[in-house]
Amino acid sequence: MSIDPALQALSYDDVVKNLEDLPSLPAVVMELLNSIDQEDVDISVLAKKVSNDQALTAKTLRLANSSLYGLQIKVTTIQQAITYLGFQTTRNLITAAAVTGCFAEGHCRGFDHRAFWRHSIATAACAKVLARQMRFNQDYAFTAGLLHDIGRLVLVASFPDRYEQVLAHRAEHDCFLLDAERAVLGIDHVDAGMALAEHWNFSDTMRLAIGGHHDPEKPGAGFLAAIIHVADAIVHALDLAQAPDGLVPPVSPVAWNALGLDESVYLQLFRETELQYEEITMALLS
């Protein structure tokens, strides 16, 4: 299939213009994202607001009670989750629960919505385990892993017909989806992810990770981008999502060496990722 020459390349501004038409996160989640650096947040008020959204609460609590957090007690309220897991962790769980339910399926023929989230969840699980090894903030790593490809959903939701051409181009040329996006659209999911991160007021840490996960060597990308980059490659190699795009992306030697982990650690990492992946998928996608 050849690319229609009449179609102009998309610009970053084209993506930004379309963001207003995208689904928005529940107001309380936006509040949580906006309060990320505030010290004086009234946690009990936020917990009460989240509790008013029953679907969001149920999903968050399923995730809180998964083996990912190894709690000895079953939490049944958002307030309890905050008590046992801490505010930061609970906020990230609420964000994960909200984002995975935010985008509708089925706008774009050939795009497998569930496979997309399976890959994102597996990357989140792997990034969390990597972060623990690196003594890095595990909550940031989990959330950044979950959201690293969110720009793909922006492109699918905003330009479904054009994205069908991306998928056709990838199938025809057996190339990476990133390269197919650039060839057909003129921009890629990293650009779109950065636009959404800005729109949804993600923290700078999260924005840098989304922006640098394919290019962790670029100046200022940050250490979290290296963690997500390596986690993304590992998950592709393990093929947990069983996605049609089975190509394993090239790994930056700089990012790999920056983590400095030996082979025995990676084998343990693979096992842990596989175990947690199943449970998180059940919590977030059922």
Side-chain angles (χ1 to χ4, degrees):
M1 176 193 147
S2 59
I3 300 163
D4 183 348
L7 290 174
Q8 280 192 308
L10 294 173
S11 69
Y12 188 80
D13 288 344
D14 292 326
V15 175
V16 171
K17 268 186 247 155
N18 277 274
L19 290 177
E20 291 302 333
D21 301 328
L22 285 181
S24 58
L25 289 174
V28 66
V29 180
M30 292 304 289
E31 214 174 311
L32 285 169
L33 289 169
N34 287 330
S35 67
I36 205 150
D37 298 317
Q38 289 170 21
E39 298 298 320
D40 57 345
V41 181
D42 189 334
I43 289 170
S44 60
V45 171
L46 283 174
K48 211 168 278 167
K49 284 184 184 172
V50 174
S51 303
N52 290 333
D53 186 329
Q54 288 175 328
L56 183 60
T57 300
K59 224 183 200 188
T60 302
L61 293 176
R62 275 207 303 269
L63 193 50
N65 286 311
S66 72
S67 63
L68 190 65
Y69 294 97
L71 291 176
Q72 304 302 310
I73 179 174
K74 187 172 166 57
V75 295
T76 55
T77 66
I78 294 291
Q79 190 64 58
Q80 258 188 320
I82 292 170
T83 303
Y84 289 104
L85 292 171
F87 179 53
Q88 297 284 3
T89 299
T90 306
R91 171 172 48 207
N92 283 317
L93 296 191
I94 293 165
T95 304
V99 172
T100 48
C102 190
F103 287 84
E105 294 183 43
H107 282 304
C108 172
R109 266 187 325 197
F111 182 78
D112 188 335
H113 195 84
R114 286 184 78 79
F116 169 86
W117 279 120
R118 287 198 302 268
H119 171 73
S120 300
I121 287 168
T123 306
C126 186
K128 187 174 191 294
V129 181
L130 269 175
R132 194 183 69 220
Q133 291 288 345
M134 304 309 302
R135 309 228 181 323
F136 188 87
N137 185 309
Q138 294 176 52
D139 294 326
Y140 273 162
F142 179 82
T143 309
L146 190 70
L147 300 176
H148 73 287
D149 277 343
I150 196 80
R152 240 170 224 155
L153 290 186
V154 173
L155 295 173
V156 165
S158 300
F159 312 102
D161 298 342
R162 301 279 298 264
Y163 211 84
E164 270 180 44
Q165 292 192 332
V166 170
L167 298 172
H169 183 90
R170 182 198 56 195
E172 187 185 339
H173 297 275
D174 194 24
C175 61
F176 291 109
L177 205 42
L178 188 74
D179 296 327
E181 288 168 351
R182 287 171 182 161
V184 175
L185 303 175
I187 60 166
D188 57 41
H189 68 275
V190 177
D191 301 315
M194 291 295 282
L196 187 71
E198 193 84 39
H199 185 64
W200 278 356
N201 296 318
F202 285 167
S203 67
D204 290 344
T205 310
M206 214 56 71
R207 282 204 280 258
L208 284 171
I210 290 170
H213 77 273
H214 281 294
D215 188 11
E217 295 178 31
K218 73 177 177 189
F223 190 58
L224 184 53
I227 290 176
I228 303 306
H229 174 80
V230 171
D232 180 43
I234 288 171
V235 166
H236 272 295
L238 294 174
D239 195 24
L240 292 179
Q242 292 164 345
D245 178 18
L247 296 175
V248 179
V251 179
S252 151
V254 173
W256 186 268
N257 294 335
L259 301 193
L261 301 174
D262 63 29
E263 199 177 319
S264 62
V265 172
Y266 276 110
L267 290 173
Q268 180 196 336
L269 176 84
F270 299 160
R271 274 197 301 274
E272 253 187 277
T273 299
E274 285 172 344
L275 286 169
Q276 292 185 357
Y277 161 75
E278 295 295 340
E279 215 171 329
I280 307 168
T281 303
M282 278 175 63
L284 287 177
L285 296 186
S286 59

